Amino acid sequence: MSNNRGRGLQANALGTFDTVVMAVAGSAPAYSLAATTAVLVGAVGLASPAALLWCAIPMLGIALAFSYLGRIDVNAGASYSWVGRTLHPFLGFVSGWALVVSATIFMVAGSLPAGSMTLSLFDSGLADNVALSTVVGAAWFLVMLAVVLGGARLTVRAQLLMSGIELAILLLFAVLALFHTGNARAFQWSWLGFSHFDGVSGFASGALIAAFYYWGWDVTSNLSEETRNSRRTTGIAGLIGVGIVFALFEVFTIAVNVILSADQIAENDANVLAVLGEEIWPGWGGKLLIVAVMLSTIATLETTLIQVTRSLFAMGRDRTMPAALGKVHRTWNTPYVAIAVVGAVALVLFIASNALGSVGEILSDAISAIGLQIAVYYGLAGLAVVVAYRKTLFKSAGNFLLGGVWPLLGAVFMFWIFVESLSELSSAAITIGVGGLAVGLIPMFWYWKQGSDYYRPAKLDATHTVEADYLPDDHATAQAQAYEGLPTDF
């Protein structure tokens, strides 16, 4: 792609187990449930388990697309590289830009709950104070920025601690919910069907929100240059991650339907999980689930930072964005310029978000806007894998189904919910979602005019794999060798 062979990221830093943990943390089960359940119930009511079920099937198709594409091209830019080399460089840039914008918006949408959750541990009244939540959320964000700056191993160690505690608490409450006796309503199988949706557009708006729940597992692909045996590992980890969070999402969404009334959900729009915890285990339950949500939110801030900084690193390296973004720190082997830029932009947005209203209002518009951008870059990846594997699709039933039909259906689904939900969304959500994508046309055309090699790509073809173009220098390799052989591979 580019002849600029600069210093690389820290190779071989992560094993399979590490990467699975990153995939689960990226989807942030506790955060997604706490912040998004009220938005989903507001859109589709009792059909929320169905929205998550029917969005999981095409989402697995997209995870398969990432898995197959990662086998033939290891690149920190992931869909930015793959789409650019199969469909068109302009679409590749839009794909990368969609991730950058959605991740940056998320840092505001995610940091506010991190702040309000932390405050609610001490005083539930403080949780609604947007200014104070912003300050505490910004502090957590800066801590995660420092961890991501410190390298892939440090990032994973922090992630193991946070996600380990989060998942232990969620599993405990999943079991307790099964034995809970005080029900607002009885379980119905129809919650998993289509009967509760308000027509086709109602289903589309629910599916768009469900896409936000799952989003983040693809951080494994952005870490591919730092993962051992990454051609195999990153794709498998992404698929396992989607499977784990799907199970958690279904259990808790059904529990919300059974245990909580519509009023309880509406009154606690920024943290439904704490109310659920209080119902299941009065006294301790709410506090424990607040801890789970707080850790989940902080953990997913970290994975989102990795996604956006690795994407910007790949863009800087290819000269489709300022070249400085492609610089790697001599000691930590992390894209420190990209990390600093993202940190500065996100902090400015935090401060600006104070003027936008309550935590719940900010979350609702941000989640829908991010959903639109996710649909774009996931959909493009689903198309890219079919083009890259077109010569091998008919060589086996597995290739045809897993590398062709399923990802293609996933892509069609993503584009369909994008178009269908436009009529349902608020003008603020559409402005943020579509306007954010449109801003990317400025750097795209500017660097295209400058003659970046990215816009003259070698086509991606599954009949031969692409060797890694950017090898770490001796210093990075020596550092990475210290981690080889750690028992984190399956």
Side-chain angles (χ1 to χ4, degrees):
M1 281 250 246
S2 163
N3 296 320
N4 169 38
R5 292 174 182 270
R7 172 190 294 278
L9 298 166
Q10 183 177 315
N12 302 321
L14 309 181
T16 314
F17 181 71
D18 303 326
T19 318
V20 171
V21 169
M22 296 303 278
V24 174
S27 290
Y31 165 79
S32 298
L33 286 161
T36 322
T37 300
V39 182
L40 185 60
V41 171
V44 297
L46 293 172
S48 45
L52 288 162
L53 169 65
W54 298 108
C55 190
I57 297 166
M59 189 60 76
L60 275 170
I62 302 302
L64 284 165
F66 273 71
S67 176
Y68 271 75
L69 288 163
R71 291 178 196 177
I72 54 173
D73 181 19
V74 174
N75 192 295
S79 61
Y80 153 80
S81 171
W82 305 328
V83 173
R85 302 184 73 165
T86 51
L87 305 180
H88 193 277
F90 285 178
L91 290 174
F93 185 89
V94 167
S95 191
W97 183 259
L99 193 157
V100 168
V101 175
S102 55
T104 307
I105 295 168
F106 174 77
M107 285 176 216
V108 178
S111 293
L112 280 169
S116 62
M117 294 294 152
T118 308
L119 291 167
S120 65
L121 282 174
F122 302 99
D123 180 356
S124 58
L126 290 174
D128 293 327
N129 185 325
V130 176
L132 202 54
S133 295
T134 305
V135 171
V136 177
W140 276 123
F141 175 74
L142 289 170
V143 170
M144 286 303 103
L145 204 68
V147 170
V148 171
L149 189 61
R153 283 304 312 169
L154 178 63
T155 303
V156 165
R157 283 175 185 151
Q159 201 59 262
L160 284 168
L161 179 67
M162 293 185 291
S163 294
I165 296 169
E166 172 203 353
L167 289 174
I169 294 172
L170 286 179
L171 289 172
L172 170 67
F173 277 87
V175 173
L176 291 176
L178 293 174
F179 298 102
H180 183 71
T181 51
N183 295 346
R185 56 184 76 80
F187 170 76
Q188 296 174 25
W189 284 106
S190 64
W191 294 345
L192 296 169
F194 292 96
S195 60
H196 291 283
F197 290 108
D198 182 19
V200 173
S201 59
F203 173 70
S205 58
L208 190 75
I209 298 162
F212 174 81
Y213 271 82
Y214 290 108
W215 176 54
W217 54 265
D218 50 309
V219 65
T220 60
S221 297
N222 298 104
L223 283 165
S224 60
E225 294 183 34
E226 296 154 90
T227 305
R228 288 195 290 279
N229 192 15
S230 68
R231 292 186 192 279
R232 173 180 166 275
T233 302
T234 55
I236 290 173
L239 287 161
I240 294 171
V242 172
I244 291 170
V245 296
F246 165 69
L248 287 169
F249 290 155
E250 282 298 335
V251 168
F252 277 92
T253 313
I254 290 169
V256 166
N257 271 7
V258 169
I259 295 168
L260 299 184
S261 67
D263 289 343
Q264 283 175 301
I265 296 167
E267 287 164 14
N268 297 278
D269 55 356
N271 189 13
V272 169
L273 220 48
V275 188
L276 182 70
E278 197 59 40
E279 286 284 330
I280 292 173
W281 185 0
W284 275 98
K287 283 274 193 283
L288 274 174
L289 278 178
I290 285 173
V291 170
V293 175
M294 183 183 82
L295 289 172
S296 178
T297 311
I298 298 162
T300 198
L301 279 176
E302 184 188 85
T303 57
T304 310
L305 269 168
I306 284 174
Q307 284 199 279
V308 69
T309 54
R310 296 314 187 264
S311 296
L312 286 172
F313 163 75
M315 291 170 143
R317 185 171 63 182
D318 288 340
R319 303 283 198 276
T320 58
M321 290 281 277
L325 294 170
K327 286 186 177 176
V328 173
H329 195 278
R330 289 200 73 78
T331 307
W332 302 318
N333 290 96
T334 49
Y336 68 103
V337 178
I339 292 169
V341 168
V342 169
V345 170
L347 287 172
V348 169
L349 288 175
F350 289 160
I351 297 160
S353 70
N354 267 299
L356 296 177
S358 75
V359 175
E361 286 166 8
I362 293 167
L363 279 177
S364 181
D365 285 337
I367 286 164
S368 297
I370 290 170
L372 289 172
Q373 290 156 353
I374 296 166
V376 169
Y377 88 87
Y378 278 177
L380 288 170
L383 294 179
V385 73
V386 179
V387 176
Y389 277 82
R390 64 193 180 282
K391 294 177 186 172
T392 62
L393 287 181
F394 295 100
K395 291 190 174 174
S396 74
N399 267 9
F400 182 70
L401 176 65
L402 304 178
V405 175
W406 202 341
L408 182 61
L409 290 174
V412 170
F413 183 82
M414 291 296 158
F415 292 133
W416 175 75
I417 58 175
F418 178 92
V419 173
E420 193 66 36
S421 59
L422 285 176
S423 61
E424 295 283 306
L425 295 180
S426 70
S427 54
I430 293 171
T431 304
I432 298 167
V434 180
L437 289 175
V439 171
L441 299 178
I442 299 167
M444 184 178 84
F445 285 118
W446 171 263
Y447 285 98
W448 172 61
K449 283 283 198 188
Q450 302 289 313
S452 162
D453 285 349
Y454 174 81
Y455 294 107
R456 296 188 295 277
K459 287 291 182 187
L460 201 54
D461 186 338
T463 53
H464 58 271
T465 60
V466 178
E467 293 309 316
D469 202 8
Y470 305 95
L471 297 171
D473 60 14
D474 296 338
H475 172 78
T477 309
Q479 216 188 18
Q481 280 167 353
Y483 301 111
E484 289 195 20
L486 282 178
T488 54
D489 294 307
F490 292 154

